[in-house]
Amino acid sequence: MGPWRPAVRRTGPPTARGPRSASAGTPSTGTPSSASAGAPREATGAADPAAAAPGHLDPGHLDPGHRDAGHRAPAALLDPGHRAPAAGQAALRNPGHCAPADVPADPVFDPRPPSNLRARLTSFVGREADIDAIRADLATSRLVTLLGPGGAGKTRLSQEAAEALRPAPRDGVWLAELAPVDDPAAVPEAVLTAVGARETVLYGAGAEEIRAAVADRHDDPVERLVEHCARRRMLLLLDNCEHVVDAAAHLVEELLARCPHLTVLATSREPLGVPGELLRPVEPLPEPAALRLLADRGAAVRPGFRPDADPGTADACAEICRRLDGLPLAIELAAARLRLLTPRQIADRLDDRFRLLTSGSRTVLPRQQTLRAVVDWSWELLDTGEREVLSRLSVFAGGCDLAAAEAVCGPATLEALGSLVDKSLVVAAPGPGGEMRYRLLETVAEYAAERLAESGERARAERAHLTYYRELARTTEPLLRGRRQGEAIARLEREYENLRTALRHAVAARDEQEALCLALSLVVYWQMRDVRVEARNWCAEVMALGPDPFAEPVRRAAPVWEPCIAAPPPMTGEVLHEARRGVHLAHLAYMETELEAWESPEAKRKLQVISEVYEPGMPQTCRAPGMMWFFAVIMLGDTVRMRAIIDASVQTCRTTPGFEWELAYALQMRANLLANRADWAGDAVRDAEEALEIHRRIGDAWGLAEALSARGEAHERKGEYLKAAADYEAAVEHAEHLGAHAQVAVLRARLGSALLETGDHDERGERLLREVIEQQSGTLNEAMPAARLFLAGWLGTRDRLAEAREQVRLLRTEFTLSHFVVFDGFILSVEAWLDALDGRHEEALDKARQALHRAQEPLSLTVAPQMRAACLTVGALALAGVDGGARASDAARCLAVADELTPPRHVASSVERHCRDRVVACVRDALGEQAYEAAYAEGGGLSLEEAAALL
């Protein structure tokens, strides 16, 4: 049979049936009136064009994509025996041309079926996996709905997915754009127009016969649609259904029930709710795809633009994509601004995104030309209750669960929340614990916050949010000590952004009571999670809301047996005073990241006042944050009172019911103290083991890690390095189980050091230290500096001096506390030791003098009483090499004083042993055995000051 030709005669029996060539393939403009021009209209009364096209598609004419068996359309869409009308094919090849009815169609065979999809003008970026998923969906379901927020790219994705179907639907893909349809009753007519069936007539019949035959169906567009689609194998794209969702749903349900070969792919911001509907969420673009889209659209307005042009541009572009939630429309609007602004300028202005992103295409619908218009469209579709809930949800940060949403948004939240999720304005997803969490995309959140402010309800919503999360923190805090510790940590981590926001609201409102309660409820969590800088800053903010409880004249504390957060605010009397003191003490403890600030006379006077406010053994000093009073005494270097305080705390805890956890904490603190003060009576291992037993009994994993660490340190100070390594390894397991990454890093650094000290595990010990250094670089806890110091010492003992020097140099560069008293003393002594080993004796002497000065500070004497001896020993090593050994006798004298200053029962480290052995060898080589012994004996009668004068 030759090429098919449209019928042109109005008399006699029809010789062929098919679409008029005058209308086939003309591009749709997106309006109902133009949609009819974009689809073929029936030339006869036949509903199925297959009868007019008996030819078959030759598989050999199909491109490989058409023969792809991996991406087959559903059976309803396919008919290998069908051949598309040639006139329609010609129009598709030239969408702007419509051949006259009496002109023969192009005889060239074209396998593409008819369609009214228009050619896209921009590239398609980043949805390859989505297209594959939609293909699979369409293979199993006759109704697939693409769901997503405005600007997510649903329309474009639906069209790309439809065109990617292989084999293509026999009777084509037809797009019905519902966005311009204001009246739900007009939906069937709009779809009728889009598929080209608006003016179906029967040629060859008289007027009366026609009227009699079609009177009923001409009155009902749904009937005409059913007649048009009933025998066709086609894919219908229903775009933008959300504002006419009920009408669209009823139409789709009717068509699917009566047109067995029809498949529908819809796009909407909420489900149609039709039986058998398969929902395919259209997620925001992941960052790599979002950056590709920004690069593509940016290069169109600024030739040569590349997001990775330099690190600053890369960071700004990543921030743009992240803060715009990966929404394609928002990213395209941001890209349009590249004509005027740099990526950094755009990123910095995203707090005012609705004014910034207003340069959309002039040819799209008004609601897609600006970011505000996109969200306005969704807002207008909400009822009053939904608007109220959506606006109140904007006060949350990081999402929320249902209980929090109901507490802040009111009792009608559940129903409204379900509707908002359906309408793609709220994202619902299971949280880490499996419970559902609800969040707003940043763009929606900013819009909702504006609406909340306009309503005058912001203050009330923020107060409800603050109250809910204060109570969540307050009631969760006790669970941080015991078997539910992991659950409590997970809860606080999950809600941490909301807790921060609540604290910010309390500070902004200058509500001291709420701020005190929240901060004190988070002190233990901050300690466990090692967020020192943030904790210090929050404490400073809260401190500024009330009077200084440590201002002179000194007001001594009275005993407070219950925690200040045992009940909700308001606090009164001594509880309020203690709450204020608690925040100040927490701030003091977290100031270890800026300890140099406590070296001024004013700061030292405040420490003195703090030390005078409490008496040893008071109940509030046995729990956090009152126990941090102890740090003020440590900073003052009052060793006598320090021992009295810790012993009194242990005694109070032993005699007070309900203080079991507090007893364990006091015991491990005393174990740490005893381990570092070998001159004191007491057994650090015994205290650590009692703490360990308590923590094991109450099921406290964090306490177990701390107690094991304390026992490991006690073993280490006795020279029992394998036992210490075993304890550190066990502590690491408990800390890892809790996700306490900072604690794990510190424990691994200690483990690496202990392994090196054994002398039999050098390779593993060095590897552990290097791993800690690599992972902790840039952090503020003690893991990285300890690891560098341990590694530098060990490298020095192995004569790998260049590597050791590099570790110390990096420590000075990266560690902000490297000039603080104790740390500076340790680092200076290591630097002096390395200089002496390297033959730089004068430089070594200078640094040894500085280190010795640091070692005599009260704090150094308290926490590192062995430091003076170590510094003198390093000085002796430097003296032994000065002037070719001319001062070797002074070196022997200094070594004797160092030995006298070494605390009883102190076990020297490998570095200390290496340094002393080197001094003895150098001095004996220079003086001989008899002169060495004589000089060493002379040194035994010198004071520290006299020995220091020799350096």
Side-chain angles (χ1 to χ4, degrees):
M1 179 176 179
W4 179 88
R5 290 173 60 91
V8 296
R9 292 170 296 177
R10 292 183 179 271
T11 59
T15 59
R17 293 174 291 179
R20 293 183 182 174
S21 62
S23 62
T26 305
S28 166
T29 62
T31 64
S33 59
S34 61
S36 60
R41 293 178 293 180
E42 287 296 326
T44 74
D48 188 354
H56 296 274
L57 288 177
D58 179 358
H61 286 100
L62 295 177
D63 61 43
H66 282 258
R67 297 193 301 271
D68 182 2
H71 299 295
R72 299 189 63 85
L77 299 180
L78 308 178
D79 184 353
H82 175 69
R83 184 170 187 168
Q89 298 158 10
L92 282 169
R93 287 194 303 271
N94 185 2
H97 172 71
C98 296
D102 56 351
V103 176
D106 188 342
V108 177
F109 178 78
D110 188 337
R112 291 176 297 179
S115 172
N116 68 340
L117 293 182
R118 292 169 290 173
R120 266 71 73 200
L121 304 179
T122 57
S123 61
F124 183 65
V125 176
R127 295 287 193 191
E128 293 81 2
D130 290 321
I131 288 180
D132 289 341
I134 294 168
R135 283 169 166 169
D137 292 342
L138 290 171
T140 59
S141 176
R142 293 179 59 212
L143 171 58
V144 176
T145 302
L146 305 187
L147 283 180
K154 302 181 294 295
T155 295
R156 181 66 182 272
L157 176 59
S158 69
Q159 296 180 28
E160 297 289 340
E163 285 202 337
L165 285 175
R166 295 293 183 269
R170 184 191 71 188
D171 296 306
V173 177
W174 300 94
L175 170 64
E177 296 176 325
L178 301 184
V181 179
D182 296 325
D183 182 2
V187 168
E189 283 286 355
V191 177
L192 195 65
T193 299
V195 301
R198 192 174 186 184
E199 296 178 358
T200 302
V201 296
L202 300 172
Y203 292 137
E208 293 300 326
E209 295 173 88
I210 294 174
R211 278 195 292 271
V214 303
D216 290 338
R217 63 181 177 85
H218 277 187
D219 291 336
D220 187 350
V222 175
E223 290 299 323
R224 283 183 281 160
L225 264 175
V226 168
E227 179 181 352
H228 180 82
C229 300
R231 296 178 60 194
R232 282 179 167 81
R233 299 179 183 272
M234 59 188 286
L235 175 64
L236 174 62
L237 301 189
L238 286 184
D239 191 33
N240 292 300
C241 298
E242 57 272 358
H243 61 303
V244 287
V245 66
D246 288 339
H250 284 98
L251 176 63
V252 167
E253 184 171 21
E254 184 77 7
L255 290 176
L256 291 177
R258 299 175 62 185
C259 306
H261 304 302
L262 175 69
T263 299
V264 177
L265 178 60
T267 73
S268 180
R269 301 186 191 186
E270 62 178 301
L272 300 188
V274 174
E277 179 181 28
L278 190 154
L279 301 178
R280 170 61 57 182
V282 179
E283 304 290 348
L285 290 173
E287 187 170 300
L291 285 170
R292 283 168 50 202
L293 180 63
L294 182 63
D296 183 271
R297 303 304 190 257
V301 299
R302 184 194 287 183
F305 168 74
R306 288 175 48 218
D308 59 351
D310 57 74
T313 299
D315 289 345
C317 289
E319 182 180 343
I320 290 169
C321 294
R322 183 177 61 255
R323 294 197 58 198
L324 293 178
D325 307 302
L327 292 175
L329 177 60
I331 292 170
E332 290 180 336
L333 291 171
R337 281 296 187 190
L338 289 169
R339 289 192 296 267
L340 177 65
L341 303 172
T342 66
R344 174 44 55 197
Q345 288 175 311
I346 293 173
D348 290 344
R349 285 162 173 77
L350 286 179
D351 284 341
D352 195 11
R353 67 189 65 198
F354 294 117
R355 290 183 59 190
L356 176 70
L357 305 181
T358 58
S359 302
S361 168
R362 293 187 179 92
T363 62
V364 299
L365 292 170
R367 67 180 180 84
Q368 294 178 320
Q369 291 180 2
T370 70
L371 189 60
R372 179 178 295 280
V374 171
V375 191
D376 276 338
W377 170 264
S378 294
W379 178 265
E380 294 303 324
L381 299 178
L382 304 180
D383 61 30
T384 302
E386 292 167 345
R387 291 180 182 182
E388 181 177 343
V389 169
L390 181 63
S391 61
R392 281 176 165 261
L393 286 173
S394 67
V395 302
F396 290 97
C400 64
D401 59 19
L402 181 58
E406 289 178 325
V408 173
C409 303
T413 297
L414 179 60
E415 184 177 350
L417 197 57
S419 177
L420 292 169
V421 169
D422 282 346
K423 294 177 180 179
S424 304
L425 287 168
V426 173
V427 179
E435 78 292 344
M436 291 299 293
R437 291 187 65 80
Y438 309 93
R439 67 180 178 88
L440 305 182
L441 297 179
E442 187 172 333
T443 296
V444 176
E446 185 174 328
Y447 181 93
E450 287 185 9
R451 292 293 192 171
L452 181 62
E454 291 170 3
S455 72
E457 290 292 313
R458 180 192 290 276
R460 187 179 301 178
E462 288 179 349
R463 173 59 58 173
H465 179 275
L466 168 57
T467 301
Y468 180 84
Y469 283 102
R470 176 252 293 157
E471 280 302 285
L472 182 142
R474 189 184 69 80
T475 56
T476 301
E477 195 271 352
L479 305 181
L480 291 170
R481 295 175 288 275
R483 299 190 184 282
R484 298 180 65 185
Q485 184 178 78
E487 172 193 337
I489 290 174
R491 181 185 304 167
L492 294 177
E493 280 187 340
R494 188 165 58 246
E495 300 293 358
Y496 194 58
E497 289 303 318
N498 280 308
L499 292 167
R500 276 177 171 161
T501 299
L503 198 44
R504 193 175 299 116
H505 289 159
V507 170
R510 300 201 60 78
D511 190 329
E512 184 196 15
Q513 293 265 355
E514 292 287 357
L516 282 171
C517 189
L518 254 174
L520 293 175
S521 298
L522 292 171
V523 163
V524 174
Y525 174 77
W526 284 333
Q527 183 182 4
M528 288 180 170
R529 280 304 184 246
D530 199 47
V531 287
R532 307 180 194 193
V533 173
E534 182 178 358
R536 182 195 68 212
N537 292 340
W538 279 123
C539 288
E541 295 269 9
V542 178
M543 287 160 52
L545 300 177
D548 183 352
F550 297 112
E552 296 188 85
V554 176
R555 182 187 183 280
R556 297 191 181 278
V560 177
W561 291 94
E562 288 290 326
C564 296
I565 58 172
M571 307 172 195
T572 58
E574 192 62 28
V575 172
L576 178 57
H577 289 304
E578 187 58 38
R580 288 169 175 159
R581 288 191 289 262
V583 171
H584 279 253
L585 291 173
H587 183 261
L588 166 63
Y590 297 130
M591 281 294 287
E592 60 185 327
T593 57
E594 292 185 11
L595 287 174
E596 289 173 292
W598 293 100
E599 294 192 279
S600 69
E602 297 80 12
K604 288 183 177 179
R605 177 56 193 158
K606 180 165 185 177
L607 291 173
Q608 187 65 45
V609 171
I610 292 173
S611 73
E612 296 172 5
V613 166
Y614 297 103
E615 291 296 326
M618 294 182 78
Q620 62 263 49
T621 66
C622 297
R623 67 170 73 92
M627 64 177 60
M628 297 172 184
W629 165 60
F630 188 61
F631 289 103
V633 182
I634 291 176
M635 295 284 287
L636 291 170
D638 189 345
T639 55
V640 175
R641 193 154 190 244
M642 188 168 65
R643 179 62 191 268
I645 289 170
I646 194 66
D647 287 345
S649 292
V650 170
Q651 182 61 26
T652 296
C653 293
R654 285 197 189 283
T655 58
T656 304
F659 272 47
E660 194 172 28
W661 185 91
E662 288 79 1
L663 173 60
Y665 193 86
L667 285 167
Q668 70 194 41
M669 282 183 66
R670 190 166 72 177
N672 283 324
L673 199 60
L674 292 173
N676 287 284
R677 296 296 308 238
D679 55 325
W680 285 2
D683 191 331
V685 172
R686 183 185 59 209
D687 278 351
E689 287 181 342
E690 185 179 356
L692 191 61
E693 191 277 328
I694 294 172
H695 285 307
R696 192 174 283 127
R697 186 168 64 248
I698 65 178
D700 188 323
W702 186 78
L704 281 170
E706 289 288 293
L708 283 164
S709 176
R711 190 174 72 176
E713 191 168 358
H715 284 314
E716 199 171 357
R717 295 297 179 264
K718 290 183 174 184
E720 299 171 340
Y721 297 114
L722 284 175
K723 287 184 177 180
D727 279 342
Y728 291 143
E729 199 130 37
V732 166
E733 291 182 16
H734 289 291
E736 285 181 333
H737 177 71
L738 279 180
H741 304 300
Q743 190 183 28
V744 167
V746 172
L747 292 167
R748 284 168 62 85
R750 291 178 178 172
L751 173 60
S753 175
L755 290 172
L756 291 178
E757 291 291 340
T758 66
D760 298 323
H761 301 277
D762 292 357
E763 183 178 343
R764 186 184 175 210
E766 180 179 354
R767 186 179 71 251
L768 278 171
L769 292 178
R770 291 190 182 278
E771 287 173 356
V772 170
I773 290 166
E774 181 179 351
Q775 294 166 4
Q776 295 295 305
S777 182
T779 61
L780 290 173
N781 67 30
E782 66 266 30
M784 182 277 290
R788 284 205 189 279
L789 207 55
F790 293 152
L791 183 57
W794 183 77
L795 291 170
T797 64
R798 296 299 185 271
D799 292 326
R800 294 162 62 180
L801 301 184
E803 293 178 71
R805 283 184 176 282
E806 179 63 9
Q807 291 299 325
V808 177
R809 184 191 70 79
L810 290 170
L811 179 56
R812 283 287 191 196
T813 302
E814 298 174 2
F815 187 40
T816 57
L817 292 181
S818 62
H819 294 288
F820 180 64
V821 181
V822 180
F823 305 111
D824 195 28
F826 277 124
I827 296 171
L828 280 167
S829 65
V830 172
E831 289 173 328
W833 172 60
L834 293 174
D835 282 342
L837 293 177
D838 224 8
R840 305 175 185 181
H841 304 297
E842 293 293 345
E843 295 174 48
L845 266 179
D846 180 58
K847 289 173 182 170
R849 292 186 204 104
Q850 296 178 54
L852 183 58
H853 176 72
R854 288 298 205 182
Q856 295 181 80
E857 294 280 350
L859 181 57
S860 299
L861 291 171
T862 301
V863 301
Q866 77 280 7
M867 188 187 291
R868 295 180 301 172
C871 293
L872 265 180
T873 304
V874 172
L877 181 60
L879 281 173
V882 170
D883 297 332
R887 300 192 62 191
S889 296
D890 287 341
R893 296 182 183 100
C894 284
L895 184 62
V897 176
D899 288 347
E900 286 290 328
L901 290 173
T902 301
R905 297 185 299 277
H906 172 71
V907 178
S909 69
S910 59
V911 173
E912 291 171 320
R913 295 194 304 272
H914 181 277
C915 186
R916 190 185 187 285
D917 292 346
R918 185 66 67 93
V919 174
V920 172
C922 290
V923 174
R924 280 179 168 157
D925 285 347
L927 299 179
E929 182 65 27
Q930 187 173 358
Y932 165 72
E933 294 292 347
Y936 184 86
E938 290 173 8
L942 297 178
S943 67
L944 173 62
E945 291 74 19
E946 290 170 324
L950 296 175
L951 295 181

